[in-house]
Amino acid sequence: MKSAAKVAIASFAALALAGTLAGCGTGSGDESGKLELRVATFPPGADQAAYDAFAVQEKQFEKLNPDIDVIGVEYEWKAPTFAAQLAGGSLPDVFTVPFTDTKTLLENGQLMDVTKEVKDLGYADKFNPIIIGEVQDDDGNIFGFPRQAYAMGLHYNRDLFTAAGLDPDQPPTTWEEVRADAKAIAEKTGKAGYATMTMGNTGGWQLTAQSISRGAEMQKDNGDGSYTSTLNNDGTKATLEYFHDLRWEDDSMGDNFLLDWGSINQEFAAGNLGMYTSGSDVYTALVRDFSMKPEQYGLTVIPTEGADAGVLGGGDIAVMSPKIDDAHKAAGVKWIDWYYMQKLLNKDAAQADAKALADSDQAVGTPVLPVLDKATYDQQQEWIKPYVNVPTDQMAGFFNGIFDQKPVGEFKGQTQPIYGLLDNVIQAVLTDENADVDALLTKADSDAQALLDGQ
C-alpha cells in the first residue's frame, strides 16, 4: 500500500496521487506543431506552491525539448476505473501506479514495455533489485520507472517523549522498548502512547508491516500465477498479541480504535499520540496538511526481530499506456528520465530540482527508501545538502538504520482486499479483550485463500 500523502509535491511527490483526470492522453500536438505530452502531476486541492514548483520545472524541460509541450493534469489512480480509462484513451500519457498494482497491470498487458529505453539510458543496473523487481515480468522485461519508494518507519512525538521523561534523541529500538515508552507516555501525559491504523485497508497494511518486522511471510508466490495465503503465522500472531497487551494490559493505546491514514496523522500532529508506524515519507503531509510543528517530529526505523525480519516498503512507478504512439512514448521517456530520474543521478539536475522545491516552500530531504543503490543515493544526498529544509537530525534513527534492514515488498495477490480482511482482525483485538486470535487468523487465512482462488 502506498503511503497516502494527501497532497503530492510536484516532482518530489508524495506516494499517493489524488484528483480528477483532466484531458486526454493521446493528443497529437498543439497549434504550434509541438507534441503535446500530458503528464499526471496534480491532485485536486494541491497548494499553489506545488503548481509554482512544477511551472519552473516545466519551463526547464521545454527549453531543453522545444518540440514538446508538457501539460500537467490532475489524475487519480483507482484500480476499478483504470481499465475503462485505458480502453477509452482518457489516461495521461505519463502517470503513476503503486507497486502493489504494477504486476497485475503488466500481466494484463496494460503497461508499456520500456525495457530497451531503460537499458539505453544506462542505469538499469543501478536500481535496487527488490524495487525494480516490482515492475518486471518473469522474463525480466521492464514496464516502468520506479520513481520513489518508502520504507516503514516509527514516527514519534518528541514533545510527548520529553513530557514522559524519555530522551527524544534516543528512540526505542525494540518492540519491548516501544511498549515501555508507550506506557510511560500514557501514564505521564494522559495521551495515547501508541496507536495503529485499523480501517480503510490501512489496518491490514500496518498489521502486515509489523508481522514482517517479526519475520512473517503473509503470502507465498507459487511461481505459476497462483498464491497461497499464509496469514496464520507466528509473526502475525505475535503482533496481534502485542497489540492486545498494549491495549488491555497497559492501557497505552487511548480510546480511538477506528483510525485510517488521515485520522491517525491528525491525532499525531495534534499531540494526542506518542508513536505509530507508517511510511517514512509522511513528514511533509504532517507539517503541511496537518499543521504539525517540525520541532515536535521524530523518526526512527521500525524495530525488527529475528533472522528473517524485514521492513515493509512500497512506492510507485512512472508508467505509460501501451496505447500511445511511438512519438508520445519517446517524449514520455524523455520526461520521466528528466523529471523523475535525473535528479537522482545528475548533480545539476538534483540541485535544480531541490532549488525549485525549496524556493516554492516545498520539503527537500524527506526520508525515503532509495530506488537506486546506496552509493548513488549518498552522492545525491550530498548534492542537495544546501537545499535540505527538513530537520534531518530528528530523523537520525531512520537515516542511520535503514540500510541495515532488509526491504520486503508487499504481497501481490489480492493485496487490498486482504488488507481489508485484516482490518477486521485488528479491530476485533482492540475492541474485545477476549478476542480469539487463533480463530480470527484461521478465518482470515481461509477468506484470503478464497479471494486468491477466485482471482
Side-chain angles (χ1 to χ4, degrees):
M1 185 170 191
K2 58 190 178 181
S3 179
K6 286 283 183 98
V7 179
I9 306 168
S11 179
F12 202 82
L15 293 176
L17 289 174
T20 304
L21 181 65
C24 176
T26 55
S28 58
D30 59 22
E31 294 180 357
S32 67
K34 295 182 179 181
L35 182 145
E36 288 187 354
L37 184 72
R38 296 184 175 271
V39 300
T41 305
F42 304 115
D47 61 13
Q48 187 59 44
Y51 282 84
D52 292 344
F54 179 79
V56 171
Q57 293 162 320
E58 178 185 13
K59 289 179 181 179
Q60 291 171 342
F61 177 81
E62 290 178 348
K63 184 177 181 179
L64 296 171
N65 299 275
D67 58 335
I68 301 174
D69 181 16
V70 172
I71 301 173
V73 301
E74 295 178 356
Y75 176 72
E76 178 182 21
W77 162 257
K78 285 188 176 179
T81 59
F82 174 80
Q85 292 173 343
L86 176 63
S90 61
L91 289 168
D93 299 313
V94 177
F95 55 100
T96 60
V97 296
F99 285 175
T100 47
D101 293 284
T102 308
K103 287 286 190 182
T104 298
L105 296 179
L106 70 86
E107 288 169 359
N108 292 340
Q110 295 173 315
L111 298 179
M112 177 72 78
D113 187 331
V114 292
T115 307
K116 181 179 185 302
E117 287 76 12
V118 175
K119 290 183 176 179
D120 287 349
L121 285 166
Y123 47 76
D125 60 348
K126 286 184 175 291
F127 282 105
N128 179 324
I130 292 176
I131 290 176
I132 192 64
E134 299 289 338
V135 72
Q136 288 179 300
D137 64 14
D138 292 340
D139 296 322
N141 296 311
I142 302 170
F143 290 81
F145 294 71
R147 60 136 190 158
Q148 184 169 298
Y150 66 88
M152 209 55 59
L154 179 69
H155 308 265
Y156 63 97
N157 186 302
R158 293 175 61 87
D159 283 358
L160 289 180
F161 263 61
T162 299
L166 304 170
D167 184 351
D169 293 326
Q170 297 293 324
T173 60
T174 67
W175 286 118
E176 282 307 306
E177 290 179 1
V178 170
R179 180 179 178 182
D181 289 355
K183 187 175 182 180
I185 291 169
E187 290 177 347
K188 298 290 183 59
T189 72
K191 306 291 188 179
Y194 187 91
T196 188
M197 302 177 210
T198 61
M199 57 186 294
N201 299 353
T202 62
W205 175 42
Q206 290 306 303
L207 178 56
T208 295
Q210 291 209 25
S211 298
I212 288 172
S213 80
R214 294 175 169 90
E217 181 182 38
M218 307 299 279
Q219 187 177 96
K220 181 181 178 182
D221 185 340
N222 298 320
D224 58 1
S226 68
Y227 303 91
T228 300
S229 178
T230 55
L231 300 181
N232 194 358
N233 61 72
D234 291 342
T236 303
K237 182 177 179 180
T239 300
L240 291 168
E241 290 173 344
Y242 178 81
F243 283 142
H244 174 276
D245 293 347
L246 265 68
R247 163 71 173 99
W248 297 105
E249 293 185 11
D250 300 349
D251 192 24
S252 61
M253 295 188 72
D255 55 10
N256 186 355
F257 307 112
L258 292 176
L259 296 167
D260 60 9
W261 184 89
S263 54
I264 203 168
N265 287 337
Q266 183 62 61
E267 288 294 295
F268 183 69
N272 297 325
L273 166 60
M275 292 176 284
Y276 73 118
T277 59
S278 186
S280 59
D281 59 346
V282 78
Y283 169 84
T284 300
L286 287 169
V287 172
R288 186 179 59 201
D289 304 334
F290 298 100
S291 302
M292 187 173 192
K293 296 178 180 178
E295 61 268 23
Q296 294 177 318
Y297 179 77
L299 173 68
T300 189
V301 288
I302 191 171
T304 55
E305 298 178 353
D308 296 325
V311 56
L312 182 66
D316 57 24
I317 314 289
V319 298
M320 293 179 287
S321 163
K323 290 182 172 290
I324 64 175
D325 59 31
D326 289 345
H328 283 82
K329 179 182 180 182
V333 169
K334 285 184 178 181
W335 172 255
I336 293 171
D337 176 61
W338 184 88
Y339 188 58
Y340 293 125
M341 302 308 302
Q342 284 304 310
K343 66 184 179 183
L344 307 178
L345 294 155
N346 177 276
K347 180 178 180 179
D348 291 341
Q351 292 184 337
D353 177 77
K355 184 177 187 302
L357 293 173
D359 288 348
S360 300
D361 199 28
Q362 301 292 295
V364 178
T366 303
V368 297
L369 177 64
V371 299
L372 301 175
D373 59 70
K374 187 177 186 301
T376 303
Y377 171 78
D378 288 343
Q379 179 64 79
Q380 190 260 1
Q381 290 295 293
E382 187 64 28
W383 291 334
I384 67 171
K385 192 173 182 179
Y387 304 98
V388 171
N389 55 14
V390 302
T392 54
D393 57 327
Q394 296 165 207
M395 308 171 186
F398 184 87
F399 285 116
N400 293 338
I402 188 57
F403 285 102
D404 294 328
Q405 295 189 323
K406 179 180 72 175
V408 176
E410 294 176 276
F411 57 82
K412 300 301 188 297
Q414 295 288 325
T415 311
Q416 297 301 327
I418 291 175
Y419 281 164
L421 294 177
L422 292 174
D423 278 358
N424 298 329
V425 174
I426 189 64
Q427 288 177 26
V429 170
L430 296 180
T431 57
D432 178 3
E433 184 174 4
N434 299 311
D436 187 332
V437 170
D438 288 327
L440 288 167
L441 281 179
T442 297
K443 184 177 188 307
D445 205 29
S446 176
D447 291 345
Q449 192 60 55
L451 286 170
L452 292 169
D453 291 343
Q455 70 178 6

